[in-house]
């Protein structure tokens, strides 16, 4: 069971990084520049408080509810997050506007590995990637 626990811990860590990066990418797409400047601090503070309160709440509830119910609550909270992001994308007009050719927010395009190739061509991005890996 030790190896199962270690594998689960690694999976949760990778999933956590993935969810946070997808969240910020989504927020950048939903908010315009003015909204982003106004709301970035509030969203970041809420994420920090949520991380702190979540750890305290989980450690307090594990004794009363057990692992099974905490996993069920986690699944429920992930579903709430999916529904909230779906509603937010419907409320935003960002996804409905056609992109003009001279639009600076136009997607870059490229294939699946274009980002990896771009990272290895840029010393700055390669250094950043190595810093994150370390």
């Amino acid at each position: 069971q030790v190896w199962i626990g270690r594998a689960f811990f690694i999976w949760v860590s990778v999933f956590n990084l993935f969810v946070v990066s997808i969240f910020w990418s989504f927020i950048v797409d939903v908010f315009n520049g003015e909204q982003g400047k106004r709301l970035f601090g509030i969203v970041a503070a809420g994420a920090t408080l949520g991380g702190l309160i979540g750890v305290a709440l989980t450690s307090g509830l594990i004794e009363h509810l057990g692992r099974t119910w905490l996993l069920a609550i986690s699944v429920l909270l992930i579903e709430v997050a999916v529904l909230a992001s779906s509603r937010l994308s419907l409320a935003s007009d960002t996804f409905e506007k056609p992109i003009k050719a001279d639009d600076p927010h136009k997607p870059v395009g490229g294939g699946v590995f274009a980002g990896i190739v771009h990272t290895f061509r840029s010393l700055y991005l390669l250094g950043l990637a190595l810093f994150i890996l370390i």
Side-chain angles (χ1 to χ4, degrees):
Q1 287 188 2
V2 171
W3 288 105
I4 293 173
R6 290 177 182 167
F8 182 73
F9 177 78
I10 291 170
W11 179 84
V12 167
S13 299
V14 170
F15 179 77
N16 191 15
L17 288 172
F18 177 73
V19 166
V20 170
S21 64
I22 293 296
F23 168 77
W24 285 112
S25 298
F26 179 71
I27 291 298
V28 165
D29 287 341
V30 168
F31 294 147
N32 62 26
E34 181 183 320
Q35 290 172 325
K37 289 176 186 174
R38 189 180 76 234
L39 297 173
F40 175 79
I42 296 170
V43 172
T48 303
L49 284 175
L52 294 172
I53 292 171
V55 169
L57 191 62
T58 301
S59 63
L61 288 177
I62 190 71
E63 297 172 5
H64 301 293
L65 297 178
R67 284 180 247 158
T68 306
W69 281 107
L70 280 182
L71 284 174
I73 291 170
S74 299
V75 169
L76 181 69
L77 289 174
I78 288 174
E79 288 297 323
V80 168
V82 168
L83 290 174
S85 66
S86 171
R87 295 282 306 247
L88 187 59
S89 68
L90 289 175
S92 173
D93 60 346
T94 304
F95 299 107
E96 296 175 5
K97 291 188 294 189
I99 298 174
K100 300 176 188 174
D102 59 345
D103 189 3
H105 301 293
K106 180 181 176 185
V108 177
V112 175
F113 298 107
I116 295 172
V117 171
H118 188 65
T119 301
F120 282 109
R121 286 185 182 163
S122 168
L123 285 176
Y124 176 74
L125 290 178
L126 187 61
L128 215 87
L130 289 174
F131 176 74
I132 291 171
L133 281 174
I134 292 173

